Structure formats: C-alpha cells, structure tokens
Amino acid sequence: MRRLLVLANWKMNGSLNDNRQLLDALTAQWQGQSEVGVCPPVVYMAQVRDLLKNSSITLGAQDISSAVSGAYTGEISATMLAEFSCRFAIIGHSERRQYHAESDAIVAEKFIAAQKESIKPVLCIGESLEERESGAALEVISTQLKAVINAVGLDAFNEAVIAYEPVWAIGTGKTASPEQAQEVHKHIRSLLGSTGDKVQILYGGSVKSSNATELFSQPDIDGALVGGASLDANEFTLICQAADQ
Ligand code: PEP
C-alpha cells in the first residue's frame, strides 16, 4: 500500500507573519496519518522548520541547484537545504521549465543532486493545453519521464516522487477530471516497470477541497501537489483530511 502524500507548494508567497498564522492553524487543525509536507520560499526555510518542529509535517524546497557549490549566483545547493531538514525538492516544475528554460537534462541533474543529499526529488511532468488538445499528452509525459529515467535509472525512483501536473490546470481553476488524471498516472506507472508499484504519483493542478476526495479515490493517484489552495489553512486542512480517508 502506498501512503498518500500531500505537498504544499507556496510558490513566491508568504511573509514571516502569514507563515506563522498559516502553520499555527494547520498544525492545530490537522494531525492525520497521511504524509504532508510544505515547500516555502527558501528564505523562510528556518522559520518553517521551527514552526513545524512538534508536528509530523515535513519540509520541502521548491527547487534545487544541480551544482554542489561555487560561483552560481542565486542558487541553493542540496547540501544547504539538507542542513535545514529539507526532505523533498520539487524538480522541473512547469513554471521553472517555462520561465527559467529548464530542460529535461537540467531536471535530471537536479534529481541526481537532490538524491545525493537524501532529499527526495518530486519530479514534475505535464503537458500543455495545445499538447492535450492535439492528443499528444501521453507522448509528452513519456518523453519527459524517459529523459530522467535514462539519466538516473529506474532504481532511483525508489526514493523519488512524481507529480503529474497538466500545465493547463495549474493555477487556472481547471482540474483534470479524475478519469483524465488516472489515465496519465497509470501510464506513468507503466513506464516505471516493477519499481512503479512503490512510487507515489501525485496529481497537481487546481486541487481544492471540493475535488480532492474524488481525485484521491483513483487507484493510481497517491496524493497531490497543491499550489493556491495550500495558502488557505482551512482549505489545505480539508485536502489533508481527504487524503486521510
Ligand atoms: C502547482 O503549482 O504545483 C500547482 C498545482 O498549483 P495550483 O494548485 O495553484 O494549480
């Protein structure tokens, strides 16, 4: 049985005050048995680690450098993140691919860098609206995933998470239907061979309390990567509770 995982991606949101209020409410309201993690902007890593110290909620990063150290202005290494008890790193989010031109090759390097410090990569893959409408969704997913499998090998996925995030559903309010998401998740699992049974495959794209239960009831959906709704303590609590059921 795969445990459900719900990860909050705060993106570039939050403040010292807002973070405290959000996490005070979340830790008071939710003490379930699912795996829950929060990925704040990196500048708040120490604050969020301290606010979560008496809870089972873990800490993640929204990105990671492929480099170990040196002259990489603005980058944050896996070693640095590990010092702050960081357990997950989102890798290849569509916003990084789109605004920072991250290729599949760079994404694979980041995957390797994270695992070297025992940080679980959360590999994001997903098709654009144009690709879905032209019937190429599964092909695009295969290309993105195989690029990383070829670089790291299938065994590496024993210590990784995959997030299927259709680009057209991120921050748009449009969610893939549970059936559409299930079809892609099943396809992703099939590409992972015998490793696939153990890998948590999350869905991401406008997940909210009103659609979480139905998405989580699909056999190959093992939780969610949540953007907008993770900034609202009540909404995010309800999503975590849906995962507990
Ligand atoms: C995301 O950015 O990973 C995401 C899923 O965002 P949202 O939930 O806001 O669509």
Side-chain angles (χ1 to χ4, degrees), residues 9 11 93 95 165 169-171 204-207 225-228:
N9 176 12
K11 310 195 187 192
H93 190 281
E95 287 153 14
E165 298 212 304
I170 296 179
S206 299
V207 174
L225 181 54
V226 186

Side-chain angles (χ1 to χ4, degrees), residues 20-42:
R20 176 177 300 281
Q21 284 186 19
L22 176 52
L23 292 178
D24 281 354
L26 178 63
T27 50
Q29 289 172 180
W30 183 82
Q31 290 103 21
Q33 71 276 5
S34 300
E35 226 181 320
V36 172
V38 173
C39 305
V42 78

Side-chain angles (χ1 to χ4, degrees), residues 121-147:
V122 180
L123 171 66
C124 297
I125 51 180
E127 81 286 1
S128 66
L129 184 59
E130 208 183 3
E131 289 161 343
R132 172 150 291 265
E133 285 177 345
S134 68
L138 295 184
E139 195 186 316
V140 170
I141 298 295
S142 300
T143 305
Q144 291 174 339
L145 182 53
K146 280 181 189 164

Side-chain angles (χ1 to χ4, degrees), residues 7-23:
L7 269 186
N9 176 12
W10 286 0
K11 310 195 187 192
M12 198 169 71
N13 292 293
S15 67
L16 291 171
N17 193 38
D18 289 352
N19 303 345
R20 176 177 300 281
Q21 284 186 19
L22 176 52
L23 292 178

Side-chain angles (χ1 to χ4, degrees), residues 11 44-45 59 72 96 107 111 120 135 142 147 150 185 233:
K11 310 195 187 192
Y44 297 127
M45 221 70 188
L59 187 59
Y72 300 98
R96 302 285 319 170
V107 170
F111 187 109
K120 252 190 190 182
S142 300
N150 291 341
H185 282 231

Side-chain angles (χ1 to χ4, degrees), residues 6-244:
V6 181
L7 269 186
N9 176 12
W10 286 0
K11 310 195 187 192
M12 198 169 71
N13 292 293
S15 67
L16 291 171
N17 193 38
D18 289 352
N19 303 345
R20 176 177 300 281
Q21 284 186 19
L22 176 52
L23 292 178
D24 281 354
L26 178 63
T27 50
Q29 289 172 180
W30 183 82
Q31 290 103 21
Q33 71 276 5
S34 300
E35 226 181 320
V36 172
V38 173
C39 305
V42 78
V43 71
Y44 297 127
M45 221 70 188
Q47 184 208 15
V48 171
R49 176 200 55 192
D50 294 347
L51 288 169
L52 293 176
K53 74 171 181 291
N54 294 321
S55 105
S56 64
I57 300 173
T58 53
L59 187 59
Q62 297 176 16
D63 183 36
I64 203 164
S65 178
S66 58
V68 174
S69 65
Y72 300 98
T73 303
E75 293 282 278
I76 311 287
S77 74
T79 319
M80 293 169 184
L81 291 168
E83 282 197 293
F84 289 85
S85 312
C86 174
R87 301 273 295 280
F88 297 96
I90 300 171
I91 309 274
H93 190 281
S94 61
E95 287 153 14
R96 302 285 319 170
R97 292 181 192 256
Q98 188 182 346
Y99 306 137
H100 301 273
E102 286 191 7
S103 63
D104 286 332
I106 292 174
V107 170
E109 283 176 24
K110 291 186 173 203
F111 187 109
I112 293 166
Q115 285 195 333
K116 278 199 182 132
E117 289 294 337
S118 303
I119 293 173
K120 252 190 190 182
V122 180
L123 171 66
C124 297
I125 51 180
E127 81 286 1
S128 66
L129 184 59
E130 208 183 3
E131 289 161 343
R132 172 150 291 265
E133 285 177 345
S134 68
L138 295 184
E139 195 186 316
V140 170
I141 298 295
S142 300
T143 305
Q144 291 174 339
L145 182 53
K146 280 181 189 164
V148 180
I149 294 174
N150 291 341
V152 305
L154 276 176
D155 281 352
F157 282 83
N158 283 315
E159 292 303 327
V161 174
I162 296 178
Y164 166 55
E165 298 212 304
V167 179
W168 50 272
I170 296 179
T172 59
K174 289 184 196 152
T175 319
S177 69
E179 295 73 25
Q180 279 174 323
Q182 167 58 25
E183 183 194 22
V184 178
H185 282 231
K186 193 173 168 198
H187 177 68
I188 291 171
R189 210 176 292 290
S190 74
L191 294 172
L192 296 169
S194 56
T195 314
D197 281 346
K198 285 166 261 157
V199 181
Q200 288 163 313
I201 305 177
L202 313 184
Y203 169 77
S206 299
V207 174
K208 25 191 189 291
S209 60
S210 57
N211 57 25
T213 302
E214 221 189 335
L215 285 160
F216 296 161
S217 69
Q218 299 298 314
D220 288 296
I221 298 184
D222 306 317
L225 181 54
V226 186
S230 71
L231 299 170
D232 179 320
N234 295 334
E235 261 297 290
F236 192 64
T237 300
L238 289 168
I239 295 169
C240 297
Q241 287 169 343
D244 290 335

